[in-house]
Amino acid sequence: MEKLVPKLFTTMKDYTKEQFVKDVIAGIIVAIIALPLSIALALASGVTPEKGIYTAITAGFVISFLGGSRVQIAGPTAAFATIVAGIVAKNGMEGLIVATVMAGIILILMGLLRLGNLIKFIPYTITTGFTSGIAVTILVGQIKDFLGLTVVTEEPLIATTDKLKAVFQFIDTFNWQAFLVGMVCLAILIFWQYMPGFFKKIPPSLIAVLVGIGMVSGLDMKVNTIGDLYEISSKLPKFSMPSFSFGMVQELLPDAFTIAILAAIESLLSCVVADSMVNGRHRSNMELIAQGAGNITSALFGGIPATGAIARTAANVKNGGRTPVAGMVHAVTLLLILVVLMPYAALIPMPAIAAILFMVAYNMSEWRKFFHLLKTSPKSDIIVLVSTFVLTVVFDLVVAIEVGIVLAAMLFMKRMSEETEVEGWKYVDEEEDNDPDSISLRVVPKGTIVYEISGPLFFGAADKILKISLAETDKCLVLRMRSVNAIDATAMHSLEELYQQCKRKKITLVFSHVNEQPRKVMEKDDFIELVGAENFCVHIDDALERAKAVCGQK
């Protein structure tokens, strides 16, 4: 069983000064990358800029300290932007704090209950669908700032469709100067990777921000900056305990579960990617506990939900980070930046933030994978993929995940039920078949019918058992179950009804080759005692011999 021990404690056993230097350098570089991203993601989430930094500092430190990965970097990510914006608009920061604390508790319970491996049972089509949907919502939400539009509404716009309508409604307020700044910043973000040597190592988002500030301030352009729209605070994060009420907990519970599931999926996915980069192995349950503790800490110190960030984790690995110390250094560096440089964040133009979020949306959209799934997947998977995507864009993430999982489960059960068959043997006397298990090599006693069941017996296929037809002349029914590897309570109930039907018609029910899991279920249900242990045979030949005895034949 996986140990619930943070990776930090394991890596400290053979820690060296050389690795400490590498971790410090990697942590500082990742902090520089995280700075503009944290501000941009905070604004996309409908909160003030410093709350993104608070999240990266508090959650980043705690998750690195307690985490189950050597190199995971945690902080605010784009996955939470739309759901956080919705919670803040409806319930304010107080509601967000409550939802995030509840999500943290859920994550800790998931880790303690060793549910880290259960995340893999969420279909790939659902994760791809809502990830692509989130990318679209982020992109649509930033069009306003990228074009410099002045949108005036009575209530804050939450739904993606409302934001898109507002773009067309207020398109006449287009600001060409804002658009120019946005295009220049976007071009830097796209083409900076082609710069030679040392320049390539500088985070393009930092360059885009600096160039944007230079354009707006130096050329006296009439473009909204963060300082024009938000109050900037360089204060240290303060502890604040929210006031919980039963009504608020009840209302925010679906959002808390969505945050917890998202945090679990994204962080464990990031861990898997990181493992392949450092040839390591993460502890999934410990990572879930760390994510829970990190989110609770973030919420209580004024932050927003956090999870493992794949891009920042990859940057950490590429720059030499190999232990959780790098993630802790990244958090401490951001704390120093908050105190010293945060007032200058007021100068960052909103089109520059929009350009950064455009790139975030593009990178997380996975549009190639999305279209590949559309081309190659079965129809049921395509239905789940498209439904999750559309629901994420049109409604919200809570609805998308709930409907996606239910839809995927129903289609999976339908597919499995189609694989389960209950067929009667065809009696052939010719011995032309060389298969030792073939019916053609066996004599079925008169008055005996044999049915073979193939596939899992669960509630989606349980009704097929009751379709077995029994005649008045039958004396024995043999059920061959060598291909049934699992059975559930509904199927067990159907077998009990079949037994009662046989009992009324004075037909003996005989089982052949009942596998381990179905046999345990039958024993627990006292079904074997009810039918009679003598009527459970190891092999079909034994079952046919039992049928002969029942039918009074030699």
Side-chain angles (χ1 to χ4, degrees), residues 447-491:
T448 299
I449 54 173
V450 182
Y451 276 84
E452 181 151 1
I453 305 175
S454 304
L457 271 179
F458 68 110
F459 59 89
D463 63 313
K464 294 186 179 182
I465 297 172
L466 299 178
K467 292 180 180 178
I468 294 174
S469 57
L470 300 171
E472 294 294 332
T473 55
D474 294 332
K475 295 181 180 179
C476 184
L477 168 63
V478 177
L479 291 185
R480 195 181 193 189
M481 298 181 64
R482 60 175 178 165
S483 300
V484 179
N485 53 14
I487 187 172
D488 72 353
T490 306

Side-chain angles (χ1 to χ4, degrees), residues 40-57:
L41 292 169
L43 296 177
S45 301
V47 297
T48 51
E50 71 276 2
K51 296 196 181 298
I53 310 271
Y54 291 170
T55 307
I57 292 169

Side-chain angles (χ1 to χ4, degrees), residues 479-505:
L479 291 185
R480 195 181 193 189
M481 298 181 64
R482 60 175 178 165
S483 300
V484 179
N485 53 14
I487 187 172
D488 72 353
T490 306
M492 193 67 246
H493 178 68
S494 295
L495 285 176
E496 289 171 349
E497 288 188 0
L498 178 65
Y499 170 75
Q500 294 299 332
Q501 186 180 345
C502 289
K503 188 177 180 181
R504 285 193 298 271
K505 294 184 177 182

